[in-house]
């Protein structure tokens, strides 16, 4: 018996941090970078092997509800979901999504594990159920996640997300060319979220105003995406970056990359995800893509990846 499953990375287009406080945000799947879980039958109890994560093999206890290791918690939760008391074999996890870089690595690994176990059980797990389990794991390990990361990773479609509301998928009217540039600095989302929470306590008025402005940006950005208004979308992304700077989640390295993208005529640029490190995204067009990429590399980007949102199958919102 064998099974193989995967899930993509993600980028937050606009709205990170404010989304934790109930504002809307938009996220895109990054389908070309993925976490993969491959199952192989053995006679030992289920073991997770994640060499990329430099962690020793993990033996899974299906009754474990409080494991401090996210991968183990996800495997245990999925087994409980299907009423599996034991499962002999090993799941090998590989991922090309950089860790602690704002690209959804944790959620993607969880989703891939959940899907692999579902396949073994001979059932497709509906996205809604998988999303709920991945969110459980995110909550345990990230404190107060909004739920946007697990949602975009599980559904693998551009999403307009408001915490506590049902997910809405966005129709992308004209393909969005986005460069994702890695600062090479690892930063934990959990720490950035805690920093913003501390700032909200110290300066409640200005922080709440920043959240409101970011929320307004997300609403307008959705409209731009649905009507193919890329120039305005770029301006909104850059305005969002300025507000994230005010929330103290940017860094000199991220600011340098954003400036380098804008100097090379990107339509807009901003940090993406928790910030303090990780990646920036730049909205480009076919004409400017290679110049912006070059400028990002010269400014110190470790890796630059192009993703085009809206070229794949589109969601049918008619029902
Ligand atoms: C992380 O990808 C996005 C944040 O807004 C955190 C969250 O929404 O849970 C920073």
């Amino acid at each position: 018996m064998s099974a193989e499953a995967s899930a993509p990375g993600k980028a937050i287009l606009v709205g990170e941090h404010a989304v934790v406080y109930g504002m809307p945000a938009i996220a895109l799947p990054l389908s070309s970078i993925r976490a993969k879980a491959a199952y192989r039958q053995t006679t030992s109890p289920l073991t997770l092997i994640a060499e990329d994560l430099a962690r020793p093999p993990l033996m899974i206890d299906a009754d474990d509800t409080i494991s401090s290791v996210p991968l183990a918690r996800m495997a245990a939760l999925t087994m409980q979901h299907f009423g599996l008391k034991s499962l002999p074999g090993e799941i090998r996890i590989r991922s090309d999504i950089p860790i602690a870089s704002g690209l959804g690595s944790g959620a993607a690994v969880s989703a891939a594990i959940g899907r692999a176990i579902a396949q073994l059980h001979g059932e497709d797990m509906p996205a809604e159920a998988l999303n709920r389990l991945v969110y459980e794991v995110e909550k345990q390990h990230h404190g107060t996640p909004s739920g946007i990361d697990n949602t975009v990773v599980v559904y693998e479609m551009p999403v307009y997300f408001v915490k506590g509301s049902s997910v809405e998928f966005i129709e992308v009217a004209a393909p969005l060319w986005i460069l994702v540039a890695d600062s090479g600095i690892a930063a934990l989302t959990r720490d950035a979220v805690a920093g913003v929470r501390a700032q909200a306590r110290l300066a409640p008025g200005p922080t709440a105003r920043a959240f409101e402005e970011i929320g307004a940006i997300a609403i307008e950005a959705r409209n731009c995406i649905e009507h193919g208004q890329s120039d305005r979308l770029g301006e909104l992304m850059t305005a969002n970056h300025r507000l994230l700077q005010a929330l103290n989640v940017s860094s000199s390295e991220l600011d340098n990359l954003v400036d380098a993208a804008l100097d090379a005529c990107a339509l807009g640029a901003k940090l993406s995800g928790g910030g303090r490190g990780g990646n920036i995204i730049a909205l480009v067009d076919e004409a400017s893509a290679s110049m912006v990429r070059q400028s990002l590399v010269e400014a110190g980007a470790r890796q630059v990846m192009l993703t085009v949102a809206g070229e794949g199958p589109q969601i049918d919102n008619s029902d």
Side-chain angles (χ1 to χ4, degrees):
M1 198 166 33
S2 69
E4 223 175 303
S6 73
K10 66 92 183 85
I12 307 274
L13 189 69
V14 286
E16 53 273 89
H17 289 290
V19 68
V20 175
Y21 297 84
M23 297 298 152
I26 295 172
L28 307 171
L30 298 175
S31 294
S32 61
I33 50 171
R34 309 190 74 83
K36 294 173 196 129
Y39 171 86
R40 185 174 76 88
Q41 198 164 12
T42 69
T43 48
S44 323
L46 186 63
T47 305
L48 298 186
I49 301 170
E51 281 150 8
D52 299 355
L53 303 181
R55 98 167 13 268
L58 284 160
M59 195 95 86
I60 304 307
D61 172 359
D63 294 326
D64 183 357
T65 51
I66 50 155
S67 172
S68 59
V69 182
L71 322 184
R73 171 101 169 113
M74 184 63 200
L77 276 176
T78 314
M79 287 172 71
Q80 287 161 25
H81 176 83
F82 289 118
L84 293 170
K85 279 271 160 237
S86 68
L87 183 63
E90 64 179 38
I91 294 182
R92 205 164 270 272
I93 293 136
R94 287 183 206 287
S95 176
D96 25 62
I97 309 167
I99 299 164
S101 67
L103 299 183
S105 148
V109 166
S110 289
I113 292 172
R115 283 187 176 136
I117 295 177
Q119 267 183 39
L120 288 170
H121 187 59
E123 273 185 42
D124 248 0
M125 186 161 9
E128 212 181 316
L130 180 63
N131 197 22
R132 211 173 320 113
L133 297 189
V134 179
Y135 184 51
E136 277 309 306
V137 178
E138 294 279 290
K139 270 202 300 210
Q140 190 175 337
H141 298 284
H142 290 260
T144 54
S146 62
I148 191 169
D149 288 10
N150 44 286
T151 301
V152 65
V153 157
V154 167
Y155 286 92
E156 203 167 343
M157 290 199 218
V159 298
Y160 178 86
F161 181 88
V162 180
K163 192 176 174 177
S165 303
S166 43
V167 58
E168 293 176 46
F169 302 109
I170 303 182
E171 183 83 36
V172 181
L176 301 173
W177 283 52
I178 292 167
L179 291 172
V180 183
D182 190 354
S183 69
I185 295 164
L188 293 175
T189 298
R190 180 179 54 225
D191 296 344
V193 170
V196 172
R197 194 175 311 118
Q199 178 157 333
R201 268 197 301 270
L202 279 175
T207 311
R209 273 194 294 283
F211 291 157
E212 294 283 341
E213 283 181 52
I214 292 173
I217 284 174
I219 293 169
E220 194 183 342
R222 176 184 186 162
N223 191 50
C224 291
I225 295 168
E226 290 175 338
H227 294 92
Q229 295 161 352
S230 300
D231 288 356
R232 179 64 187 147
L233 179 62
E235 288 169 12
L236 292 169
M237 288 168 61
T238 307
N240 192 167
H241 184 70
R242 303 292 168 231
L243 289 160
L244 290 164
Q245 286 174 316
L247 291 176
N248 283 315
V249 290
S250 192
S251 67
S252 54
E253 292 85 357
L254 293 172
D255 290 344
N256 280 343
L257 292 178
V258 165
D259 291 346
L262 295 175
D263 288 349
C265 296
L267 301 174
K270 63 182 276 293
L271 72 84
S272 180
R276 294 185 164 184
N279 284 262
I280 70 114
I281 54 173
L283 184 65
V284 295
D285 50 29
E286 254 180 288
S288 65
S290 67
M291 205 164 73
V292 177
R293 178 193 286 272
Q294 179 69 24
S295 177
L296 285 166
V297 169
E298 281 164 14
R302 297 293 161 86
Q303 214 189 336
V304 183
M305 175 176 73
L306 173 70
T307 184
V308 183
E311 276 201 325
Q314 295 274 302
I315 185 75
D316 180 358
N317 270 329
S318 55
D319 54 12

